[in-house]
Each structure stands twice: as structure tokens, then as C-alpha cells.
């Protein structure tokens, strides 16, 4: 159990998104930051490290993007939709890439199987936010 | 629910500490990273920001220390007890300082009340690790 | 003097961008991470903190985006152009916002004047990379 | 050239250490964050990755400790000597470990040779701060 939703509700500023969805995305990012950090470290101790290079690289990147995305989503005051949108896009892509790579090793390494699950959940939670009309309108405005 | 304990159990390397305690500390650090990030941001939008300076500063520091501590605890392979020990000490102190400051504003700001709770829980979870005999022996060895 | 360009040249992997431009962007990001961190902290100790709320918030965000951008640009192996592109866009916007806000306080606070300069330099260094045809083609491909 | 020393001089708060020494340590930490991030990534693309596991792990840890140390040293307001002291100790140890490991591969990989140099410089710059009497007195007080 986390305090994320309670913290968002207690804040004097709000973002134009569902608080429950933002809280879910933050929690998914923090969970994914943890699994990716652990997965990359576990890979470093596996005998077949040669086949796990991409997994290490993608998990390290994913952990960093999830971290910064969780932080930005946790800050409704002085919220900048363009920046949050770009971070969410980077996060969705990074989670999808890590999940796809972990999937290749999921049968041999339980840490990859769990990490794939966490990455997929984070990918979906961030996509829910990206699908919000707030960002759809932003996309139209900036032509991107 | 997080995957932290499962990830630690799935890793090929182990640390000389209770897996349940390490997982609890990681989760407490990530929860505290979130509440401290949100609390500092909420403070920035409060009318009486002048009285919340210390709260902002301490919460920002606490978020960073919790982040790096969670990452190090998530990496049993190539674990270095001295570094982890110093980070845990920094984390306990940072959480205690943030909790004490948030407590002063807990009656006026619900985000401070929740953040105080998360900081106290993280402080205790890291202290459990520091009290482990692994670190006690280390302390004797390095004379610190 | 930094080792950034030397490190990029010594790496077994390369990115489809000018090494000198990537090194300049990394160094500008790290410099901006430092000035933004210091500027937000200095704001917290200024008597007129009430007018510096936005400066604190934007500098904290800018420091984080610069940090993660510097890290991604430092990793040519397993480089993912879409993610780097989104981070660069977020970084350019974050630097521009911080620079504009710091400019408002530059006459009263020397730390804001210096930080504005560092943000502008980082904004430009990242724009140089975004203007590269690698990313222009990517933009066409993803329609964004 | 960085703005670190100028930023520290422009801040309303001061730490009880030489500004030049603090600025040098911050710059060394940021430089080391960069080389360690690049070195770990380069290792991931080397044919003999099997022998570079420890190098990857230590460089990743070193990058994170350098990052958080640079941030704390950049924040004189609300400075907490105990926390900074523990981070500096962790940083010195992390840099020493990375330097020693990179040294083993310096003849085969230029990125390791450069990274070793940056780690050594950061280790020394942080030791200069730890040797300051401010921290010596703190050590006596806390018996650590």
C-alpha cells in the first residue's frame, strides 16, 4: 500500500487528469523502477551474461525514465503538460522495449518474467494518461 | 502490492540480510521518495510558503537519498556493505529530519501529515537493516 | 575540462550524430543540472521566497530532465532514437522555461542570472541535436 | 568551464568549507557521473563482457553516488553535515572501487583508462572535503 493517491488529493494544486489514474501511473513507475534495477543487477550475475546485454541496457534505461516520470507526475504545482507528455511517451516506449526483451528470457530467468510483468503494467498505466483528452488536445495544438 | 520481495528472491545473488527486511526497506524508500516529492511540490503552492522553506528543502533531500538507497538495496550482486551502510545512515537521518519538520505542519497541511508518516516508516525500515549484525560487525571493523 | 568527448570516442558503439555535438549537449546538461540545483536551493534562502515559487519549481524540474538526458546521451550502445528524441524535446522546453523564469529575477539575484545563462546554453546544445537529420527523419516516420 | 564556483558564491547561504574545494568536488562528481555512465555502457558492447561484469556494476553504482553527492554539495541552504559526510564517505569508497576495477581493464579499453582517471580525481576531491576540520569535529561528536 502506498500514499500516492492520498498525497495527490491533499495537494493544493491539481492536474487536468484523473487523480486515480495519475496515482496508478506513479505507483507503476516506482514498481517498474525497482524491478528494472533488480533485473539488470541479476543479469550481471547470470552465467549467460553475453545474451543478456540488451536486457541490462534496456532495464537500466527504463529504470531512469520511470524514476523521472514518477517524479514529474507527483508534482501537480507548476505542471507543464508538454514536458509530462514527452516523458510519458518516452516511458511507454522504454517499458515496451524492456518488456519485449525480458519476455525473451522469461522462461530461463524468473527475474525477467516478473520484470516483464511490471514493465507491461507501467506501459499500460502511462498509456491511460496519454489517452486522456488533455494530451490529445495538446497533441493537436503542437502538431505532434 | 509490489514485486520487490519476489525480485530479490529471484536474483542469483543474495545479501547477508533478511530478504523480507530488505524488501520492506526498498518499498518504504520508494513510498517516501513519492511522498517527499509531492510534499515539497505542495508546499510550493501553499500561501504560507515562507514557513515551509525548511520542509521543502528537507523533503527534496530526503527524496533523493531514499531514491539512491532503494536502488542500492535492489542490487545484491556486487553489493558493497560499507557504501550501503553509509547510505542507510544518511537515509535514516534524512527521514528523521523530514518527519520532524513535517510534524510541525501536520495540523495545517494534510500532505505534511501523510509525508511525516511515510518518513517515519522509512526511517524504521532502514534502522532494522542497520541493526543487523552484518553492519554491527562492519562498524567494529572500520571503527566507525 | 571534462572527459565526455574522449569517452564517446573510446566507446565501441556510436550514435548517428556528431560526437562533438553530443559531448557538448552532455556537458551543457550536467552544467545546467548543477546551476538549477543550486538556484532552487538559493531561492529557498531568499527573503522574497514568495515571488520565487515558480523559479524553484522550474529549476527542480529542469535539473531532473537535464540529468536523465545527460545519462541517455552518454549511452551510445542500445541507443533508442525515439526515447532520446522525446527526452531532448522535454529538455529543451524545460531549459527554456527555467531560463525565462530566471530572467525575471536576474537583476535581483546573481544565481538566477548565472542559471539563466546555463539554461540557455543547454537549450541550444540540445536543439543542435534535435535539428540533426537523424531526428528529422524519425519525426517524419512516427508522424510526430 | 562550469558555473559551479560562481553559483556557490552567489548563494545566500554558505557551508563551513572552502568554496573552491566544494566547487571542485561537485565538478569532479559530475565528470565522474558521466565517465562511469559511459564506461558501463561501453562495457555492455565489448566482446569480453564476461570479464567486465564487476566494472559495469561498480560504474553504475559510482555514477549514482556521484550524482547525489554533487546535488547535496550544491545545496548550502539547509545543509546537514552528517548526511553530507556519509554521502562523501560513500562517494570516496565508490570511486576508489571503480577506479581499481577500471585499472584492471585500462590496457585493453581506453574508456576504462579514462574512467579510472575521473574516478581517482573525484575520490581525491571528496577526500579533501572529508579532511576538513568541520567533518573531523563532527566525527568526534557522533563517535563515528
Amino acid at each position: 500500500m502506498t500514499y500516492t493517491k492520498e498525497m495527490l488529493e491533499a495537494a493544493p494544486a491539481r492536474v487536468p487528469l484523473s487523480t486515480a489514474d495519475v496515482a496508478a501511473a506513479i505507483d507503476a513507475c516506482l514498481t517498474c523502477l525497482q524491478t528494472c534495477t533488480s533485473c539488470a543487477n541479476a543479469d550481471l550475475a547470470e552465467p549467460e551474461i553475453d545474451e543478456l546485454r540488451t536486457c541490462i541496457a534496456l532495464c537500466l534505461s527504463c529504470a531512469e525514465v520511470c524514476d523521472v516520470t514518477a517524479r514529474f507526475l507527483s508534482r501537480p504545482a507548476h505542471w507543464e503538460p508538454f514536458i509530462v507528455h514527452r516523458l510519458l511517451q518516452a516511458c511507454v516506449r522504454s517499458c515496451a522495449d524492456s518488456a519485449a526483451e525480458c519476455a525473451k528470457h522469461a522462461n530461463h530467468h524468473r527475474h525477467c518474467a516478473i520484470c516483464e510483468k511490471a514493465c507491461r503494467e507501467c506501459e499500460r498505466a502511462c498509456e491511460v494518461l496519454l489517452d486522456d483528452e488533455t494530451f490529445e488536445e495538446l497533441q493537436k495544438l503542437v502538431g505532434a
Side-chain angles (χ1 to χ4, degrees), chain A residues 46-128:
Chain A
E46 296 290 358
E48 64 274 44
I49 188 171
D50 196 44
E51 302 154 34
L52 293 166
R53 297 163 185 267
T54 308
C55 189
I56 298 170
L58 295 184
C59 281
L60 290 175
S61 291
C62 193
E64 285 183 14
V65 178
C66 285
D67 195 349
V68 74
T69 303
R71 288 164 176 269
F72 269 76
L73 291 175
S74 297
R75 295 194 293 237
H78 307 278
W79 155 279
E80 169 46 61
F82 177 84
I83 298 173
V84 174
H85 182 261
R86 262 40 185 173
L87 292 179
L88 283 169
Q89 286 188 317
C91 196
V92 164
R93 176 63 171 267
S94 200
C95 288
D97 290 353
S98 284
E101 183 61 29
C102 279
K104 296 182 195 166
H105 314 287
N107 284 337
H108 295 89
H109 302 301
R110 188 159 155 62
H111 51 81
C112 286
I114 305 167
C115 192
E116 182 200 352
K117 216 161 82 173
C119 289
R120 287 284 174 226
E121 287 165 4
C122 189
E123 183 191 357
R124 277 193 293 270
C126 291
E127 268 172 351
V128 168

